[in-house]
Amino acid sequence: RKEVEQDPGPFNVPEGATVAFNCTYSNSASQSFFWYRQDCRKEPKLLMSVYSSGNEDGRFTAQLNRASQYISLLIRDSKLSDSATYLCVVSLIQGAQKLVFGQGTRLTINP
Amino acid sequence: ETGVTQTPRHLVMGMTNKKSLKCEQHLGHNAMYWYKQSAKKPLELMFVYNFKEQTENNSVPSRFSPECPNSSHLFLHLHTLQPEDSALYLCASSQWTARYNEQFFGPGTRLTVL
């Protein structure tokens, strides 16, 4: 079983739609959770950390379900510029340097 | 100057060649990393350096040899590579603390081994 599993997509949605991604992780001892974004042929960049209570940053909402070992990312009112690959990232220890990346979910927003 | 720079951006080499990848961070960070990103596979951590000392080697073959002369520079020396080593090699840096570790990535070197 993969340590971090994501639906690779691709997801094709119209501009303005709401889109949700899920990610599951295998190690129940995982402590830190993140979503990174990687544009085509570019480097990954941190989108947001994911906290146990859930957190929101503008149009983006991240949630964590420790019991089911899954993380979600919700994008509301999607923009063309949201087109990218979204990487789910987990680490065993808070602040740990060994990050485990999912394969990524590719999202294309259509005009 | 952008935060994390990598050179070269593209590299084609034969299996018998020796080449080096260079990474430089301008963020004053204390940790640097090498990652490998192959097509249709997740990013894989290769090496971690803290304050110039290697603290993680994620079972990387010896044909990859990292070097960290100071906290701002990181090299990956390549020798006798295989075609399956073709990938995007990403460098990252972070200001590591016990609670937080946002890693900033460079643009990567796209390596092709013939």
Side-chain angles (χ1 to χ4, degrees):
Chain A
R1 183 184 172 187
K2 295 178 184 175
E3 289 186 81
V4 179
E5 197 142 8
Q6 297 180 249
D7 181 345
F11 285 59
N12 290 284
V13 302
E15 192 174 8
T18 295
V19 60
F21 307 133
N22 287 331
C23 160
T24 58
Y25 59 95
S26 61
N27 193 326
S28 60
S30 298
Q31 295 291 327
S32 298
F33 309 90
F34 312 91
W35 284 102
Y36 274 70
R37 169 194 169 131
Q38 186 171 21
D39 292 329
C40 188
R41 306 190 79 79
K42 298 274 193 172
E43 70 273 20
K45 293 183 180 178
L46 179 66
L47 178 66
M48 58 198 302
S49 300
V50 186
Y51 303 117
S52 296
S53 53
N55 49 299
E56 190 173 306
D57 183 2
R59 298 181 292 107
F60 297 83
T61 301
Q63 294 202 312
L64 168 64
N65 184 320
R66 285 187 184 272
S68 301
Q69 295 179 212
Y70 84 76
I71 309 149
S72 65
L73 177 67
L74 183 78
I75 306 175
R76 289 183 301 279
D77 186 26
S78 54
K79 313 290 184 191
L80 296 178
S81 58
D82 294 333
S83 298
T85 296
Y86 290 83
L87 305 171
C88 177
V89 185
V90 170
S91 72
L92 277 179
I93 304 169
Q94 193 171 29
Q97 296 181 297
K98 187 170 181 178
L99 301 180
V100 181
F101 285 74
Q103 185 179 342
T105 298
R106 189 171 165 194
L107 171 67
T108 300
I109 307 297
N110 301 309
Chain B
E1 189 72 83
T2 54
V4 181
T5 57
Q6 289 187 243
T7 55
R9 296 292 308 275
H10 300 271
L11 178 62
V12 179
M13 59 186 289
M15 289 190 284
T16 58
N17 293 156
K18 288 184 182 181
K19 297 285 185 183
S20 295
L21 310 185
K22 179 183 176 182
C23 175
E24 184 173 359
Q25 59 98 357
H26 310 273
L27 301 168
H29 288 164
N30 56 20
M32 296 187 77
Y33 312 78
W34 279 116
Y35 285 87
K36 176 182 178 182
Q37 188 172 35
S38 304
K40 302 192 183 303
K41 292 177 76 174
L43 233 68
E44 299 172 69
L45 179 66
M46 300 174 73
F47 301 104
V48 180
Y49 276 82
N50 285 296
F51 298 102
K52 306 187 300 176
E53 299 298 320
Q54 187 182 127
T55 55
E56 181 90 28
N57 177 335
N58 204 23
S59 303
V60 180
S62 59
R63 58 186 183 269
F64 295 91
S65 174
E67 178 190 0
C68 190
N70 55 60
S71 294
S72 299
H73 292 85
L74 185 64
F75 295 88
L76 188 63
H77 303 300
L78 314 173
H79 173 53
T80 323
L81 294 193
Q82 305 297 312
E84 59 265 29
D85 296 323
S86 298
L88 181 67
Y89 288 86
L90 290 158
C91 173
S93 73
S94 71
Q95 184 59 26
W96 180 76
T97 71
R99 289 182 59 82
Y100 190 68
N101 182 35
E102 179 180 353
Q103 296 184 19
F104 295 80
F105 286 83
T109 295
R110 188 159 297 281
L111 173 67
T112 303
V113 182
L114 301 176

